[in-house]
Amino acid sequence: MPTPSLTQPRAIAVTAAAIALTLGISACSSTASPGPSPTISLSAEPGKGLPSTHVHGLSVNSETGQILLATHEGLFDVSKNTAVKIGPTNDLMGFTAAMDQGVFYASGHPGQDSDLPNPVGLIRSTDGGATWERLSRQGESDFHALATTKSGIVAYDGTLQTSTDGKSWQTATAGFVPAVLAGNPYSNTVLATTPKGLQRSADAGKTWALNAGAPVMQFAAFASATEAVGVTPDGTVYLSVDAGMGWNKTGKIDGEVQAIAASEGSEGSPWIWAATTTGLSVSTDGGATFRPADAD
């Protein structure tokens, strides 16, 4: 598929995943099953659109056109309209892209072909997900929500924490449970979706404030340092052009949404990807309309 023009050195759509449909936290089983065949179609036929029924994260790199799904059965590249398995089978409950090409952070549980402890803590890949190194909290943390910022990492494992290096952690000032954390490597603004409303941090997750004027959203993702996308539990799409302060309704996603991602498009119209129970769809007009990602 074509990719939008870039106005930054590298435009990365960072993962935004739904942990539970009720904006709560629900864990998958501690051992992931083996990955399916790497030739699964991404058609919009119900139940057959994605390589796993448990999609925890979606990441799009608009510079390379790579589209990744983080799932209960591991990481899949779905850039070519088929699902190609990458690396070992780990249940990637948390997944986020870093600024550098091919660098990802993840957390969750080890699969049958993995030598990681349970839970895996924070792990990092520098080769596009093919291999993973242990950074911290192995056997301690299953970060269900992860986000990268200009200053480091924000993560939630029952406690909201921040880290500048992925190894040492500080507890954040927060009194909520995030379903999704959304950040951008070019900014220190972080958004957290919660049942009581959208929380926003301007200091890389250290302190938070409720955005009382924002709709209650289940998903959020940054397309750039200033453009953000939000999706409510019923699939309604909202767009912010001021880093999550003000929001305008643009359209609606059909189907049960599992994860979203966004990247820069034309001015005021970021590209938005949505993984649903019927397949992968994309919007090139800021969420006003969506089409199957494999449509010509």
Side-chain angles (χ1 to χ4, degrees), residues 29 37 50-51 53-54 88 96 112 157 180 192 195 197 206-207 249 296:
S29 63
S37 165
L50 298 175
T53 57
H54 296 278
T96 187
Q112 294 181 3
D157 65 348
V180 167
K206 295 177 182 178
T207 61
K249 183 166 63 175
D296 294 330

Side-chain angles (χ1 to χ4, degrees), residues 125-185:
S125 175
T126 58
D127 56 9
T131 61
W132 295 87
E133 62 176 316
R134 308 178 190 193
L135 286 184
S136 62
R137 301 193 64 81
Q138 277 67 53
E140 298 180 56
S141 292
D142 171 14
F143 291 115
H144 279 227
L146 282 173
T148 51
T149 69
K150 186 177 180 179
S151 296
I153 301 167
V154 186
Y156 181 81
D157 65 348
T159 300
L160 194 61
Q161 304 178 64
T162 64
S163 176
T164 58
D165 58 6
K167 298 179 181 179
S168 60
W169 295 88
Q170 296 77 43
T171 300
T173 303
F176 58 85
V177 175
V180 167
L181 292 171
N184 184 279

Side-chain angles (χ1 to χ4, degrees), residues 86-125:
I86 301 176
T89 301
N90 293 307
D91 181 7
L92 302 176
M93 294 297 300
F95 180 80
T96 187
M99 182 182 293
D100 294 331
Q101 197 79 271
V103 178
F104 301 99
Y105 294 95
S107 188
H109 304 283
Q112 294 181 3
D113 63 347
S114 174
D115 61 357
L116 293 170
N118 186 26
V120 305
L122 185 70
I123 55 178
R124 177 176 62 190
S125 175

Side-chain angles (χ1 to χ4, degrees), residues 228-277:
V229 175
V231 179
T232 65
D234 70 355
T236 301
V237 180
Y238 286 81
L239 179 63
S240 173
V241 295
D242 55 6
M245 293 293 289
W247 295 87
N248 292 309
K249 183 166 63 175
T250 60
K252 191 170 184 179
I253 301 170
D254 293 328
E256 188 176 286
V257 181
Q258 299 187 68
I260 69 166
S263 68
E264 284 189 291
S266 59
E267 184 176 353
S269 298
W271 284 38
I272 305 167
W273 284 262
T276 75
T277 52

Side-chain angles (χ1 to χ4, degrees), residues 14-89:
V14 183
T15 306
I19 303 305
L21 294 177
T22 57
L23 294 180
I25 298 295
S26 64
C28 289
S29 63
S30 60
T31 302
S33 58
S37 165
T39 57
I40 297 174
S41 172
L42 298 184
S43 68
E45 184 178 351
K48 297 184 180 180
L50 298 175
S52 173
T53 57
H54 296 278
V55 176
H56 303 307
L58 172 60
S59 180
V60 178
N61 187 314
S62 59
E63 182 175 296
T64 65
Q66 185 181 49
I67 305 171
L68 297 177
L69 291 178
T71 79
H72 181 63
E73 285 81 21
L75 187 64
F76 291 85
D77 186 329
V78 296
S79 309
K80 304 299 182 182
N81 302 325
T82 56
V84 178
K85 182 76 178 296
I86 301 176
T89 301

